Amino acid sequence: TKATLNPQMSLHHQALSCANGFTQAGTTNDEFLRKNLDFLSHASNWAKFSATVSLGSIHKGQLERSRELLSAYLPKAGVSSSNYSEGGALMALGIIHANHGSEVLPYLLEQLASNQSEVVQHGACLGLGISGMASKNDAVLEVVKGILYADNAIAGEAAGITIGLLMLGSGDDCLISELKQYAHESQHEKIIRSLALGMALIQYGRQDQADGLIAELEAEKDPILRYGSVWTVALAYAGTSSNNAVNKLLHFAVSDANDDVRRAAVTALGFVLFRNAEKLPRLVELLTESYNPNVRYGSAMALGIAFAGTANKRAIDLIMPMCKDITDFVRQGAFIALAMILMQHNDQSAGDNQISNLRKQLEQVIGTRHEDQLAKFGAIMAQGILDAGGRNVRLALNTPSGHVSLPGITGLALFCQFWYWYPFAHFLSLSFAPTALVAVTPALKLPK
C-alpha cells in the first residue's frame, strides 16, 4: 500500500499510520515504522502526530516499558524536537496505559503543566483521558478544566473530550451544567463539539437518567449541541436495544436539518442495537438508499458496528452497493464497515470468497491514481481493520462475561469522530480484544 501512495500527501500518511497501528495493535511489532523512515520523514504536522500515536496502539499494554519505548519522542527538558511528535507520544503513552493509568498520570500532568505548545497540550490531555478513563480523578479534572477555559481551539478540543473520559458514566449534573454553559460561551466549533461529546460520555450507560440532558440538547439551536444529544443517546443506551432510544434516533435521522446530526443519528443505531443486531437491517434498509449521502454513510457505519466480526450476509448485501456510491465519503464508510463485519473471517467462514474479493477491491481503490482521496483513506483503514492485531483481535463491544464493554464502546464512539479530526481514529484500538484459541492435551499440557 505504501508503494502506491504519494509520500507528500498528509492524508495518505494519516491513513497509513492508522492502518499500521490497527494491524500491529498490541503485537509490539513496530518494524514498519523503523524500516520506512524515509517515507515517514515526509510526514508533517498532524500526520507526524498521528504516526507517533500509532506506537501507542502497537505497544498497548506494555506498562513497565512504556516510557522507554517512547523515549525517542517524549518531551525532554532543554531539547527541542517537534511539538507534533511530542504531543503524539503523550497520547500514545495514554493508549499504552488505557484504563491502567495510575503510574503515568503524574508524568502526563507534569508535561501538561510545563508545556505551552497547544499541540503538546492536545496530546497530553488525550493521554490523561485515556489512561484515567472513568477514574473520576479530581486533581486531573481541575488541571484539564484550566486548559479548557484557556479557550485555545486545539488544546480545548482535547480537554472537552478528556473531561468526558475522566468522568465517564458518572452522570455528574453540576459538571454537565458547567460544560453546557461553556459550550454556549465558546466561539470555537472544535471546543463546542468536544463539550457535546464530553457530556455524552458523562452519561455513558445511564439510560433513562440521561433523558433530561438528551431533551435539553435536542432543543438547542446550535446543531453541534444537537449532535451531542445524538451521541448521548448512543452512549447512554448502548447495547440496550431500547425502543425509546431507537425511535428518538430515527426521528433525528429523518427530521433534523443538519447533515452531521443525521449522520450521527443513523450511526448511533449500531451502538443501541448491537446486541439485537438482527433488528437493524430492517430499520436501515431504506436509509441505505437515502438521497442524503450522510445518511447512507451513517447506515453503513451502523451495520459495521452492530455486525462487527459476524460476516452477516444480510448486512454485507446492504453495504455492498455503497462501495460503488457516487459520493467519496460514502464509499469510505462502506469499506470501513465491511472490514469491521468481516474481521477474523476467511473465505471459508464468510463464504463466496468475500474476503479475497474485498481485499482485491481495496487494493484496486488504493492503486487507482484518480480515485477520490477520501475513498482511498477508507480503503487503507479497512485494510488495517481486516488484519487488526495480526488478525488476532475482534471489535469487542461485549466483555467475555456478556456485559457491555466500557472501553469497547467508548473507543468506537470516539473512533467515529475521525470525520472531523483524523488522529481520533486511533481510539479504535481501545475496542480490540484478543480472540486467541489455546489447545491442550487431555493432561492439560501443550501439544508437541
Side-chain angles (χ1 to χ4, degrees), residues 279-298:
K279 284 186 176 172
L280 187 65
R282 202 182 70 246
L283 288 176
V284 297
E285 194 163 5
L286 291 173
L287 299 176
T288 58
E289 296 171 9
S290 164
Y291 67 91
N292 184 327
N294 283 277
V295 172
R296 297 200 297 275
Y297 174 96

PDB file of all heavy atoms in Angstrom, residues 279-298:
ATOM      1  N   LYS A 279     -32.328  -6.839  14.235  1.00  0.00           N
ATOM      2  CA  LYS A 279     -33.386  -5.836  14.020  1.00  0.00           C
ATOM      3  C   LYS A 279     -32.927  -4.703  13.107  1.00  0.00           C
ATOM      4  O   LYS A 279     -33.745  -3.966  12.556  1.00  0.00           O
ATOM      5  CB  LYS A 279     -33.770  -5.191  15.369  1.00  0.00           C
ATOM      6  CG  LYS A 279     -34.634  -6.036  16.267  1.00  0.00           C
ATOM      7  CD  LYS A 279     -35.033  -5.203  17.474  1.00  0.00           C
ATOM      8  CE  LYS A 279     -36.000  -5.943  18.386  1.00  0.00           C
ATOM      9  NZ  LYS A 279     -36.230  -5.192  19.631  1.00  0.00           N
ATOM     10  N   LEU A 280     -31.590  -4.530  13.014  1.00  0.00           N
ATOM     11  CA  LEU A 280     -31.080  -3.321  12.363  1.00  0.00           C
ATOM     12  C   LEU A 280     -31.300  -3.278  10.845  1.00  0.00           C
ATOM     13  O   LEU A 280     -31.726  -2.243  10.324  1.00  0.00           O
ATOM     14  CB  LEU A 280     -29.588  -3.155  12.703  1.00  0.00           C
ATOM     15  CG  LEU A 280     -28.948  -1.859  12.231  1.00  0.00           C
ATOM     16  CD1 LEU A 280     -29.584  -0.667  12.951  1.00  0.00           C
ATOM     17  CD2 LEU A 280     -27.455  -1.847  12.496  1.00  0.00           C
ATOM     18  N   PRO A 281     -31.035  -4.375  10.096  1.00  0.00           N
ATOM     19  CA  PRO A 281     -31.187  -4.271   8.632  1.00  0.00           C
ATOM     20  C   PRO A 281     -32.561  -3.754   8.211  1.00  0.00           C
ATOM     21  O   PRO A 281     -32.661  -2.929   7.297  1.00  0.00           O
ATOM     22  CB  PRO A 281     -30.952  -5.708   8.148  1.00  0.00           C
ATOM     23  CG  PRO A 281     -30.070  -6.304   9.187  1.00  0.00           C
ATOM     24  CD  PRO A 281     -30.510  -5.691  10.489  1.00  0.00           C
ATOM     25  N   ARG A 282     -33.600  -4.194   8.917  1.00  0.00           N
ATOM     26  CA  ARG A 282     -34.939  -3.747   8.546  1.00  0.00           C
ATOM     27  C   ARG A 282     -35.086  -2.231   8.742  1.00  0.00           C
ATOM     28  O   ARG A 282     -35.726  -1.546   7.953  1.00  0.00           O
ATOM     29  CB  ARG A 282     -35.967  -4.495   9.407  1.00  0.00           C
ATOM     30  CG  ARG A 282     -37.364  -4.530   8.794  1.00  0.00           C
ATOM     31  CD  ARG A 282     -38.362  -5.241   9.685  1.00  0.00           C
ATOM     32  NE  ARG A 282     -38.657  -4.477  10.892  1.00  0.00           N
ATOM     33  CZ  ARG A 282     -38.331  -4.870  12.122  1.00  0.00           C
ATOM     34  NH1 ARG A 282     -37.708  -6.012  12.318  1.00  0.00           N
ATOM     35  NH2 ARG A 282     -38.623  -4.136  13.179  1.00  0.00           N
ATOM     36  N   LEU A 283     -34.439  -1.727   9.819  1.00  0.00           N
ATOM     37  CA  LEU A 283     -34.566  -0.295  10.118  1.00  0.00           C
ATOM     38  C   LEU A 283     -33.788   0.569   9.124  1.00  0.00           C
ATOM     39  O   LEU A 283     -34.219   1.661   8.780  1.00  0.00           O
ATOM     40  CB  LEU A 283     -34.036   0.000  11.530  1.00  0.00           C
ATOM     41  CG  LEU A 283     -34.882  -0.479  12.703  1.00  0.00           C
ATOM     42  CD1 LEU A 283     -34.160  -0.200  14.012  1.00  0.00           C
ATOM     43  CD2 LEU A 283     -36.223   0.248  12.716  1.00  0.00           C
ATOM     44  N   VAL A 284     -32.609   0.073   8.699  1.00  0.00           N
ATOM     45  CA  VAL A 284     -31.770   0.961   7.860  1.00  0.00           C
ATOM     46  C   VAL A 284     -31.872   0.646   6.369  1.00  0.00           C
ATOM     47  O   VAL A 284     -31.245   1.320   5.559  1.00  0.00           O
ATOM     48  CB  VAL A 284     -30.278   0.930   8.288  1.00  0.00           C
ATOM     49  CG1 VAL A 284     -30.119   1.449   9.701  1.00  0.00           C
ATOM     50  CG2 VAL A 284     -29.674  -0.439   8.122  1.00  0.00           C
ATOM     51  N   GLU A 285     -32.658  -0.359   6.021  1.00  0.00           N
ATOM     52  CA  GLU A 285     -32.727  -0.771   4.618  1.00  0.00           C
ATOM     53  C   GLU A 285     -33.035   0.427   3.704  1.00  0.00           C
ATOM     54  O   GLU A 285     -32.355   0.662   2.704  1.00  0.00           O
ATOM     55  CB  GLU A 285     -33.810  -1.841   4.455  1.00  0.00           C
ATOM     56  CG  GLU A 285     -33.708  -2.553   3.132  1.00  0.00           C
ATOM     57  CD  GLU A 285     -34.503  -3.876   3.168  1.00  0.00           C
ATOM     58  OE1 GLU A 285     -35.193  -4.177   4.168  1.00  0.00           O
ATOM     59  OE2 GLU A 285     -34.415  -4.577   2.166  1.00  0.00           O
ATOM     60  N   LEU A 286     -34.054   1.210   4.078  1.00  0.00           N
ATOM     61  CA  LEU A 286     -34.413   2.362   3.245  1.00  0.00           C
ATOM     62  C   LEU A 286     -33.370   3.471   3.373  1.00  0.00           C
ATOM     63  O   LEU A 286     -33.099   4.203   2.416  1.00  0.00           O
ATOM     64  CB  LEU A 286     -35.792   2.904   3.648  1.00  0.00           C
ATOM     65  CG  LEU A 286     -36.959   1.978   3.298  1.00  0.00           C
ATOM     66  CD1 LEU A 286     -38.256   2.494   3.884  1.00  0.00           C
ATOM     67  CD2 LEU A 286     -37.087   1.832   1.783  1.00  0.00           C
ATOM     68  N   LEU A 287     -32.772   3.580   4.573  1.00  0.00           N
ATOM     69  CA  LEU A 287     -31.786   4.651   4.783  1.00  0.00           C
ATOM     70  C   LEU A 287     -30.530   4.425   3.943  1.00  0.00           C
ATOM     71  O   LEU A 287     -29.855   5.368   3.556  1.00  0.00           O
ATOM     72  CB  LEU A 287     -31.420   4.745   6.267  1.00  0.00           C
ATOM     73  CG  LEU A 287     -32.581   5.079   7.215  1.00  0.00           C
ATOM     74  CD1 LEU A 287     -32.125   5.061   8.662  1.00  0.00           C
ATOM     75  CD2 LEU A 287     -33.182   6.441   6.887  1.00  0.00           C
ATOM     76  N   THR A 288     -30.210   3.144   3.641  1.00  0.00           N
ATOM     77  CA  THR A 288     -29.008   2.891   2.828  1.00  0.00           C
ATOM     78  C   THR A 288     -29.194   3.439   1.413  1.00  0.00           C
ATOM     79  O   THR A 288     -28.229   3.609   0.686  1.00  0.00           O
ATOM     80  CB  THR A 288     -28.687   1.373   2.713  1.00  0.00           C
ATOM     81  OG1 THR A 288     -29.822   0.714   2.136  1.00  0.00           O
ATOM     82  CG2 THR A 288     -28.345   0.756   4.051  1.00  0.00           C
ATOM     83  N   GLU A 289     -30.454   3.695   1.034  1.00  0.00           N
ATOM     84  CA  GLU A 289     -30.704   4.246  -0.310  1.00  0.00           C
ATOM     85  C   GLU A 289     -31.169   5.692  -0.232  1.00  0.00           C
ATOM     86  O   GLU A 289     -31.713   6.239  -1.203  1.00  0.00           O
ATOM     87  CB  GLU A 289     -31.771   3.399  -1.015  1.00  0.00           C
ATOM     88  CG  GLU A 289     -31.294   1.967  -1.244  1.00  0.00           C
ATOM     89  CD  GLU A 289     -32.409   1.057  -1.745  1.00  0.00           C
ATOM     90  OE1 GLU A 289     -33.489   1.578  -2.074  1.00  0.00           O
ATOM     91  OE2 GLU A 289     -32.191  -0.162  -1.800  1.00  0.00           O
ATOM     92  N   SER A 290     -30.960   6.332   0.920  1.00  0.00           N
ATOM     93  CA  SER A 290     -31.415   7.718   1.086  1.00  0.00           C
ATOM     94  C   SER A 290     -30.749   8.626   0.055  1.00  0.00           C
ATOM     95  O   SER A 290     -29.624   8.377  -0.391  1.00  0.00           O
ATOM     96  CB  SER A 290     -31.039   8.195   2.488  1.00  0.00           C
ATOM     97  OG  SER A 290     -31.109   9.594   2.568  1.00  0.00           O
ATOM     98  N   TYR A 291     -31.439   9.727  -0.309  1.00  0.00           N
ATOM     99  CA  TYR A 291     -30.836  10.687  -1.252  1.00  0.00           C
ATOM    100  C   TYR A 291     -29.695  11.439  -0.563  1.00  0.00           C
ATOM    101  O   TYR A 291     -28.868  12.062  -1.190  1.00  0.00           O
ATOM    102  CB  TYR A 291     -31.901  11.696  -1.738  1.00  0.00           C
ATOM    103  CG  TYR A 291     -32.382  12.591  -0.627  1.00  0.00           C
ATOM    104  CD1 TYR A 291     -31.759  13.815  -0.379  1.00  0.00           C
ATOM    105  CD2 TYR A 291     -33.414  12.187   0.223  1.00  0.00           C
ATOM    106  CE1 TYR A 291     -32.163  14.615   0.672  1.00  0.00           C
ATOM    107  CE2 TYR A 291     -33.823  12.981   1.271  1.00  0.00           C
ATOM    108  CZ  TYR A 291     -33.186  14.197   1.495  1.00  0.00           C
ATOM    109  OH  TYR A 291     -33.565  14.976   2.551  1.00  0.00           O
ATOM    110  N   ASN A 292     -29.660  11.414   0.780  1.00  0.00           N
ATOM    111  CA  ASN A 292     -28.651  12.173   1.514  1.00  0.00           C
ATOM    112  C   ASN A 292     -27.420  11.296   1.779  1.00  0.00           C
ATOM    113  O   ASN A 292     -27.502  10.302   2.502  1.00  0.00           O
ATOM    114  CB  ASN A 292     -29.258  12.640   2.839  1.00  0.00           C
ATOM    115  CG  ASN A 292     -28.298  13.515   3.621  1.00  0.00           C
ATOM    116  OD1 ASN A 292     -27.091  13.324   3.567  1.00  0.00           O
ATOM    117  ND2 ASN A 292     -28.834  14.483   4.338  1.00  0.00           N
ATOM    118  N   PRO A 293     -26.258  11.659   1.213  1.00  0.00           N
ATOM    119  CA  PRO A 293     -25.073  10.794   1.372  1.00  0.00           C
ATOM    120  C   PRO A 293     -24.660  10.616   2.835  1.00  0.00           C
ATOM    121  O   PRO A 293     -24.123   9.578   3.210  1.00  0.00           O
ATOM    122  CB  PRO A 293     -23.977  11.520   0.578  1.00  0.00           C
ATOM    123  CG  PRO A 293     -24.483  12.906   0.349  1.00  0.00           C
ATOM    124  CD  PRO A 293     -25.977  12.828   0.368  1.00  0.00           C
ATOM    125  N   ASN A 294     -24.920  11.624   3.678  1.00  0.00           N
ATOM    126  CA  ASN A 294     -24.559  11.488   5.098  1.00  0.00           C
ATOM    127  C   ASN A 294     -25.358  10.373   5.768  1.00  0.00           C
ATOM    128  O   ASN A 294     -24.845   9.658   6.621  1.00  0.00           O
ATOM    129  CB  ASN A 294     -24.817  12.812   5.837  1.00  0.00           C
ATOM    130  CG  ASN A 294     -23.741  13.829   5.540  1.00  0.00           C
ATOM    131  OD1 ASN A 294     -22.686  13.815   6.147  1.00  0.00           O
ATOM    132  ND2 ASN A 294     -24.005  14.690   4.573  1.00  0.00           N
ATOM    133  N   VAL A 295     -26.625  10.243   5.359  1.00  0.00           N
ATOM    134  CA  VAL A 295     -27.463   9.176   5.933  1.00  0.00           C
ATOM    135  C   VAL A 295     -26.978   7.814   5.432  1.00  0.00           C
ATOM    136  O   VAL A 295     -26.920   6.835   6.188  1.00  0.00           O
ATOM    137  CB  VAL A 295     -28.948   9.422   5.577  1.00  0.00           C
ATOM    138  CG1 VAL A 295     -29.809   8.240   5.994  1.00  0.00           C
ATOM    139  CG2 VAL A 295     -29.447  10.698   6.262  1.00  0.00           C
ATOM    140  N   ARG A 296     -26.578   7.771   4.156  1.00  0.00           N
ATOM    141  CA  ARG A 296     -26.053   6.489   3.622  1.00  0.00           C
ATOM    142  C   ARG A 296     -24.779   6.086   4.369  1.00  0.00           C
ATOM    143  O   ARG A 296     -24.600   4.926   4.763  1.00  0.00           O
ATOM    144  CB  ARG A 296     -25.759   6.622   2.116  1.00  0.00           C
ATOM    145  CG  ARG A 296     -26.990   6.913   1.281  1.00  0.00           C
ATOM    146  CD  ARG A 296     -26.787   6.553  -0.192  1.00  0.00           C
ATOM    147  NE  ARG A 296     -25.762   7.312  -0.877  1.00  0.00           N
ATOM    148  CZ  ARG A 296     -25.932   8.511  -1.450  1.00  0.00           C
ATOM    149  NH1 ARG A 296     -27.118   9.103  -1.394  1.00  0.00           N
ATOM    150  NH2 ARG A 296     -24.948   9.111  -2.087  1.00  0.00           N
ATOM    151  N   TYR A 297     -23.897   7.056   4.585  1.00  0.00           N
ATOM    152  CA  TYR A 297     -22.647   6.787   5.322  1.00  0.00           C
ATOM    153  C   TYR A 297     -22.974   6.264   6.727  1.00  0.00           C
ATOM    154  O   TYR A 297     -22.416   5.266   7.186  1.00  0.00           O
ATOM    155  CB  TYR A 297     -21.828   8.084   5.416  1.00  0.00           C
ATOM    156  CG  TYR A 297     -20.583   7.995   6.271  1.00  0.00           C
ATOM    157  CD1 TYR A 297     -19.341   7.734   5.697  1.00  0.00           C
ATOM    158  CD2 TYR A 297     -20.629   8.182   7.652  1.00  0.00           C
ATOM    159  CE1 TYR A 297     -18.190   7.668   6.480  1.00  0.00           C
ATOM    160  CE2 TYR A 297     -19.493   8.107   8.439  1.00  0.00           C
ATOM    161  CZ  TYR A 297     -18.279   7.852   7.843  1.00  0.00           C
ATOM    162  OH  TYR A 297     -17.143   7.780   8.619  1.00  0.00           O
ATOM    163  N   GLY A 298     -23.917   6.946   7.395  1.00  0.00           N
ATOM    164  CA  GLY A 298     -24.282   6.531   8.760  1.00  0.00           C
ATOM    165  C   GLY A 298     -24.838   5.124   8.803  1.00  0.00           C
ATOM    166  O   GLY A 298     -24.541   4.342   9.708  1.00  0.00           O
TER     167      GLY A 298
END
